DNA sequence: TATTGTTATACTCTATAACTATA
DNA sequence: TATAGTTATAGAGTATAACAATA
């Protein structure tokens, strides 16, 4: 899964941000999954839980908007988290079309455990970067997110 | 597809490299696909073409190793590129189990056209980063690739 | 009419296991 | 027996279009 470098030239590929983004993102995702093994939580699911934790009472559409997940794809994710007992779904008092969400106690515990695992996972994987470099990296990535077309 | 920031708090998510990597990588991939529209070339396919261009006569397994693609998944990719007429497959003279590859003229043209498109796409998307920042970004990403477990 | 959530569907990417033919 | 490529298959992520209920 890591970058193999058996004397194989990457050519111009090596100069593209997109290529290295794709590779390193995939590697981080694989290590994330290893760190989360047994919890049933994947990157997207942790994202959803995290948004609910930080915005209790938020509705489904806004969670998707925050994470770049389409309405149609939110449905399965929410159902998974409901089935796992991590979230509580209620009809919005202000808009009876919408569902609003809260974490259950189990969900809060899953977020806390997940945060600890993710911190260890990132500390391990990014041990070669100073904290300044890590911040630089996040800053640069955020600028790309901000620049990307709607 | 871009980062929505309608006053929705990301919480701790915002502090994770993995989260921003995932988002920005997805955004770059979407913009890549838009830039390549009509060519039939996706990120993985361009990667394979690029490796063959830089290493004529390379075999299937080594292409996969260079790009982190499993043997089983290489098969379809190679078949796609064969069907498109971009590559030439011959049995290796040294090892009759292995196939070695060259670009066809059409494949060379596709790579040249792709390179131009990708450069425009990255220049547009990364216009907010100085060239020094772009290099910093690539350097940091490469260090993550190097650090990731095998 | 527009919006929230849903269903159905399809394509891509990735992963594993078992097979074949050569080495 | 190990390796190169293949087949079959499954899980996950993401995309679009059409629908029901509510606004």
């Amino acid at each position: 899964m890591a970058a193999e470098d058996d004397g194989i030239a990457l050519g111009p590929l090596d100069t593209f941000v997109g290529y290295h983004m794709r590779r390193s993102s995939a590697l981080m995702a694989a290590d994330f999954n290893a760190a989360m093994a047994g919890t049933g939580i994947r990157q997207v699911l942790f994202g959803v839980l995290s948004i609910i934790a930080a915005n209790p009472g938020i509705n489904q559409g806004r969670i998707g908007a925050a994470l770049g997940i389409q309405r149609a794809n939110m449905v399965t994710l929410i159902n998974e988290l409901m089935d796992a007992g991590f979230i509580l779904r209620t009809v919005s008092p202000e808009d009876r079309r919408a569902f609003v969400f809260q974490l259950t106690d189990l969900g809060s515990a899953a977020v806390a455990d997940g945060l600890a695992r993710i911190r260890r996972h990132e500390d391990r994987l990014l041990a070669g970067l100073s904290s300044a470099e890590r911040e630089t990296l996040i800053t640069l990535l955020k600028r790309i997110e901000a620049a990307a077309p709607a």
Side-chain angles (χ1 to χ4, degrees), chain A:
Chain A
M1 190 102 235
E4 311 291 330
D5 192 6
D6 313 323
I8 305 175
L10 289 181
L13 216 52
D14 198 43
T15 69
F16 292 131
V17 171
Y19 170 72
H20 290 290
M21 201 87 104
R22 185 177 141 84
R23 291 303 302 275
S24 50
S25 179
L27 292 165
M28 288 206 70
D31 196 71
F32 179 99
N33 289 331
M36 289 299 192
T39 67
I41 292 181
R42 310 185 303 276
Q43 278 186 316
V44 212
L45 293 179
F46 189 81
V48 173
L49 287 178
S50 201
I51 293 293
I52 296 174
N55 307 271
I58 193 172
N59 73 26
Q60 199 162 315
R62 275 166 57 81
I63 296 171
L67 295 173
I69 302 170
Q70 311 224 7
R71 278 202 312 283
N73 297 325
M74 279 299 298
V75 179
T76 318
L77 299 173
I78 289 295
N79 287 340
E80 278 190 76
L81 294 173
M82 286 293 295
D83 291 349
F86 289 152
I87 59 174
L88 214 116
R89 164 170 48 191
T90 48
V91 173
S92 167
E94 297 148 8
D95 183 343
R96 282 168 32 233
R97 292 170 302 180
F99 287 129
V100 295
F101 298 93
Q102 312 284 341
L103 294 188
T104 60
D105 289 352
L106 196 63
S108 296
V111 168
D113 174 60
L115 283 175
R117 287 171 184 257
I118 297 170
R119 290 204 181 98
R120 281 196 299 275
H121 135 75
E122 293 216 344
D123 285 347
R124 186 178 355 100
L125 207 57
L126 306 175
L129 309 197
S130 69
S131 44
E133 285 171 329
R134 225 198 272 203
E135 276 187 42
T136 301
L137 179 52
I138 289 185
T139 302
L140 293 172
L141 295 177
K142 277 174 148 176
R143 280 211 254 151
I144 295 174
E145 292 169 44

